[in-house]
Amino acid sequence: MKQSRSEVQKRHQRILEMLYLQNSIQTADASKILQVSELTLRRDLEILESRGYIQRFHGGARLDSSNTKEVPIFECKGSMNQLQKQQIARLIPQFLKNRDVVFLNGGTTTLEIIHCIKHMNITIVTNNAMACFALANGKAEFFSTGGEYNRRNRSYTGELAINLIRRICPTACILGVNGISNANGITTSAYSEAIINQEALRRCHGKKIIAADGSKIGKAFCFTSAAITDIDVLITDSSADLAELEKIRSCGVQILLADQVTFPSSPERQ
């Protein structure tokens, strides 16, 4: 019986999760855990190796540490595509209404978004460790997830963060990502960040929005937070791969190019 793309993607995710936790796996053991044949598992490993995620060896596989893409540290990310991030952020308020409960994840794009929505009559829940500074003079109510502090991304992850997310039902979920593509969905190079994103999307019963500058479009990283069909809106800019955007749009995702929108005048950011 032919398997759906989502089933295959979920299995690839499980394989990468196993490798993240164990560093290497044996084909025979992994096939039993995933309840697939060794032939199917070897095909999965071939695909993951072709994408540069793993290295196969006789009887198993390990993570490819030389080719696995890493996220730039927070300080470097902050200066990358800054104008595009600000343009993207200024489109977000149109998707929010009074009394919304909004989850945002870590990252420099979502930090820009927080600056743009902090004066709205909403509740912001985030694992972005820099949010407390951005919200210092804002009107919005604010909940920080807390948790294990990731110095590289200036975010909170782990069980403490997840436990708080499981106790809320966001009416909007806004995520920055490392990569987004039609084939691989929303991806990140950090397993702990992917789990946060995954849980926030699962709990959300309103708009699910991805905010990603053009450099993220068509990119794929090790860990998947959601399939492309789980997303409602992608806000990006015209530097994105247009062919990839068409593929994403064909899955029912609304796409906005922030640098092609005329922004109304807004109060100066304090």
Side-chain angles (χ1 to χ4, degrees):
M1 180 177 177
K2 187 175 180 180
Q3 295 179 313
S4 68
R5 176 187 291 180
S6 64
E7 288 175 327
V8 174
Q9 286 181 340
K10 287 178 181 178
R11 194 168 62 248
H12 289 178
Q13 175 79 1
R14 286 286 309 279
I15 293 169
L16 288 170
E17 289 173 1
M18 291 165 64
L19 285 167
Y20 178 84
L21 294 171
Q22 305 174 38
N23 197 36
S24 67
I25 57 173
Q26 297 296 318
T27 303
D29 294 337
S31 66
K32 291 176 183 177
I33 293 171
L34 298 173
Q35 298 182 327
V36 296
S37 69
E38 290 189 32
L39 177 61
T40 297
L41 190 70
R42 281 195 291 270
R43 288 173 179 164
D44 290 336
L45 296 178
E46 287 175 3
I47 292 171
L48 292 172
E49 185 178 48
S50 71
R51 294 175 181 171
Y53 297 148
I54 68 169
Q55 290 178 331
R56 288 186 299 156
F57 56 80
H58 182 68
R62 66 176 65 88
L63 283 176
D64 187 345
S65 58
S66 63
N67 291 330
T68 298
K69 307 173 186 71
E70 293 187 355
V71 184
I73 60 174
F74 191 93
E75 287 81 358
C76 296
K77 290 169 67 178
S79 62
M80 296 170 63
N81 304 314
Q82 189 67 15
L83 175 61
Q84 291 91 331
K85 292 174 183 179
Q86 291 173 352
Q87 291 172 328
I88 288 167
R90 291 175 65 185
L91 284 184
I92 293 294
Q94 68 179 282
F95 292 98
L96 304 179
K97 59 185 184 300
N98 283 342
R99 299 188 181 89
D100 266 343
V101 177
V102 185
F103 178 83
L104 299 101
N105 64 352
T108 53
T109 303
T110 50
L111 192 61
E112 287 293 339
I113 293 170
I114 288 170
H115 281 296
C116 286
I117 65 175
K118 67 181 180 180
H119 295 296
M120 298 181 70
N121 181 25
I122 59 176
T123 298
I124 293 174
V125 183
T126 182
N127 69 321
N128 194 321
M130 300 298 291
C132 58
F133 300 103
L135 286 160
N137 60 345
K139 175 183 176 182
E141 291 190 25
F142 167 52
F143 289 87
S144 173
T145 65
E148 182 180 349
Y149 180 55
N150 183 328
R151 289 181 175 83
R152 187 179 187 86
N153 296 329
R154 303 284 180 87
S155 64
Y156 298 116
T157 59
E159 283 302 313
L160 286 175
I162 292 171
N163 284 341
L164 185 139
I165 294 170
R166 286 175 178 162
R167 285 166 171 75
I168 63 171
C169 293
T171 54
C173 183
I174 304 168
L175 301 179
V177 299
N178 297 144
I180 177 171
S181 69
N182 173 62
N184 297 289
I186 305 160
T187 58
T188 176
S189 66
Y191 174 66
S192 57
E193 298 283 350
I195 295 302
I196 292 288
N197 296 346
Q198 189 178 75
E199 191 64 27
L201 288 169
R202 187 182 70 82
R203 297 288 299 170
C204 181
H205 57 87
K207 287 284 186 185
K208 300 172 183 178
I209 303 168
I210 301 301
D213 66 73
S215 68
K216 314 288 181 62
I217 309 305
K219 299 290 180 62
F221 289 75
C222 286
F223 300 106
T224 302
S225 300
I228 201 68
T229 51
D230 293 329
I231 302 307
D232 298 311
V233 181
L234 168 61
I235 304 179
T236 185
D237 61 81
S238 58
S239 69
D241 184 323
L242 298 182
E244 184 64 33
L245 289 181
E246 283 304 313
K247 292 177 183 177
I248 293 172
R249 185 181 283 112
S250 70
C251 294
V253 179
Q254 178 186 359
I255 295 176
L256 296 176
L257 301 180
D259 56 341
Q260 294 187 359
V261 174
T262 301
F263 295 108
S265 59
S266 58
E268 184 178 352
R269 199 171 77 188
Q270 299 182 17

